[in-house]
Amino acid sequence: MTKGSVPEYFGCMVFDDRVMRSVLSSDVYSSLRKTIEVGAKLELGLADSVAKAMRDWAIEKGATHFTHWFQPLTGVTAEKHDSFIEPSPDGGVIMEFSGKELIQGEPDASSFPTGGIRATFEARGYTTWDPTSYAFIKDQTLCIPTAFCSYGGEALDKKTPLLRSMEALNRQALRILRLFGNDQVKHIHTSVGPEQEYFLISKEMYDKRPDLQYTGRTLFGAKPPKGQEMDDHYFGVIKPKVKEFMAELNEELWKLGILAKTEHNEVAPAQHELAPIYSTTNLASDQNQLMMEIMQKVAARHGLVCLLHEKPFAGVNGSGKHNNWSISTDNGFNLLSPGDTPAENAQFLLFLCAVIKAVDDYQDLLRLSVATAGNDHRLGANEAPPAIISIFLGDELTAILEAIESDTPYRGMEKKLIKLGVDVLPRFARDTTDRNRTSPFAFTGNKFEFRSLGSSNSIACANMMLNSAVAESLRIYADRLEKAEDFEQALHEMIKKTIHDHKRIIFNGNGYDAAWVKEATEVRKLLNYPTTPDCMPHLLDEKNVKMLTSHKVFNEAELHSRCEIMLDNYCKQVWIEVNTELLMARRMILPAIESYADKLSGTVAKKRAVNETLQCGYEKSIVEILSSIADQIYQKAEELEQTAENINGTEDIIKESQLIRDQILPKMQELRSLADKAETYVSREYWPLPSYGELLFSVK
């Protein structure tokens, strides 16, 4: 354990503002702050000074190497380590790190997903330092957060478009604030607090499950006698082994300056959640990637495996990453805070309407920003929101907007005291609105919670789309209001028009109700894209390309590449699952069924050798059942393999993904259902896989 109190060691492995103030000269520090805060040009001389200080600090902390730490389109982070050593004339070495090495690196751009932007022979790519995200030390290596681009300047990562989207929203939001007479604010940023859900299982059990090892989820597994029906795991007492894991995880995260705040058991057995305090969006994105990596490393040290797949177990809650998003000024004012009288807060109402308009206009972008093969299994049940995007505002804000639309006075909602009927317990005021766990996009007091993200998703994807869409709403508002002769009247009409045009996206009811799907799609004409192949091609719709390119978040080549990459990732993930399912069915499950059936057949023979009149009804029935199931499993495996061979390698990636959705996934489910049925008949001694009960309840 780290010595000292948490405040003493918090951020000790981060080259943060405290460190920069102490090791940089006042001139260098001031210049660097200008670069961070307002985007001032970073001169090479300044970079040399920062690099020297960063090197000395890192070496003092035990670092021997440095790396440009970046986020390519693989879904995970990447790093190439270089040592600080340089040869000296006397045959020894000196420790060097230059400003050029800090600012720029050259990883191989053709070896990462590029969606056709780079060919194999066009290998050069660049990483470049992001000074707005602090450098840190991990495993004796100085990690420098960077953006990653091709030789031609196209973004090949998730950080670059995210930073562009933040700047786009900043530009447009400042225009709005100036219209309200606010000349003090110099910069506006979005903040995010991503709640991370995950499962912890025994490493011993994990090692016996090829499906978990290869795909991150169980492709087979019969429903256990007990799952989450009793709701007794949610917020329950944390088991000792899990508590030890959480304690070490917190320590490792705190050393890296990650504001890990809340930990608890989630709804499903073996499921847990960790929530941080809000950070600026690009920093939160970096830290969430680090958090997932460290979770898995710490789990391994405790004989556990941390599962980050969105749906590792069928029939119980999947894992999401609730993206709590807000807009703030550089002096700390939250632009989504309603204040005490939201009905009279015109600035808040305009920003609220900008979000409503953005979500309605770009439902497809928000849906595809969270689309993966794994998340497709999660959305729509067990506390995961449906694939249909809608906004929950609650009773008070909904009533305010209705009053504005109809030009009627808003009477306000009375604060009511909660009376628990026990004198010793304090009374407290009830909030004016409830919470909705089935809503994809819910207002929760002074922020929006985008609940559709999957647990393994990079939060950069959703936030770059959300930032961009809101920036577009604000651009439209600013263009109109800047030309208005009567600002207040134009503002009122703008808010009223937004409510009228986009109220269809507001839904405060039960998102799981079948009637909602009918109302949403048939009456409100909202989009319903249940799977990745349904939504991803819409990235290239004309309106989406126009909006994203106009704000310079992407260029057209980058958009085409991302559509290609995301669909390719989807297809590859499912092909891995197909191959794993076939391997397990043929080499593990069928042999287990045959061995147990043979055992029972031998038992019948032995019994009848003693008394040939014995009926042996149990053994005969089970052998007949298992023989029939085995034949069906064999047949379904053959069909799955043949279908896969016919589809795999289809030249059109959109067509291939659609064929996978329509033909492969149903056949995988048919094969699984048969195997799961067999599991309920085969003796535990013969079944080769740890059961759901063992996986979900083995950690004590």
Side-chain angles (χ1 to χ4, degrees), residues 79 99 124 173 181 230 259 322 336 343 358 367 370 393 461 599-600 609 614 630 638 640 690:
E79 49 196 66
R124 191 181 297 278
M230 300 301 295
L259 294 160
H322 305 151
L336 291 179
R367 171 64 184 94
V370 301
L393 288 183
C461 302
K599 164 72 172 176
L600 293 178
L614 292 175
E638 291 293 300
L640 175 59

Side-chain angles (χ1 to χ4, degrees), residues 273-286:
E273 181 179 297
L274 173 62
I277 298 174
Y278 290 76
S279 301
T280 304
T281 302
N282 69 307
L283 183 58
S285 178
D286 286 356

Side-chain angles (χ1 to χ4, degrees), residues 574-593:
V574 178
W575 291 134
I576 292 170
E577 292 181 354
V578 167
N579 291 331
T580 303
E581 191 169 85
L582 289 172
L583 178 148
M584 294 176 69
R586 288 167 171 167
R587 298 180 61 183
M588 301 178 76
I589 292 172
L590 281 175
I593 294 172

Side-chain angles (χ1 to χ4, degrees), residues 279-299:
S279 301
T280 304
T281 302
N282 69 307
L283 183 58
S285 178
D286 286 356
Q287 291 183 342
N288 185 254
Q289 292 294 130
L290 260 180
M291 180 187 292
M292 291 190 288
E293 176 188 333
I294 294 167
M295 280 178 163
Q296 293 172 317
K297 287 182 176 179
V298 172

